[in-house]
Amino acid sequence: PKESAIENRSVYRLQGAHHTVSSVLSDSGIVTSMGAARRLVEQGGVKDENGDTFTRPEDNFPIPPEGRIIRVGGRRAFRIKES
């Protein structure tokens, strides 16, 4: 049920398969700037589909062909796909 809710939400497509966590947040438009992305990650507000928290803005965020889910804050989740 939760997975289908994410499917129906925003899907962001980014060029290339390798990004940093902060560049995914900024390039997709989820946040307005790299500074905001860095702060959000450093404050523990970004998790992956497994619930693991990203703690460093420069951490790699590889995007597999099927896409990847990123959770921002307590209620927002987005699917990131390679274009």
Side-chain angles (χ1 to χ4, degrees), residues 6-47:
I6 292 169
E7 287 292 333
N8 295 328
R9 292 188 182 186
S10 298
V11 175
Y12 293 96
R13 296 190 178 276
L14 300 176
Q15 295 287 334
H18 297 283
H19 299 274
T20 63
V21 177
S22 57
S23 72
V24 166
L25 293 170
S26 178
D27 294 348
S28 65
I30 294 171
V31 296
T32 56
S33 68
M34 285 293 280
R38 264 193 313 278
R39 282 189 296 279
L40 190 61
V41 173
E42 288 171 350
Q43 293 170 0
V46 181
K47 298 181 180 185

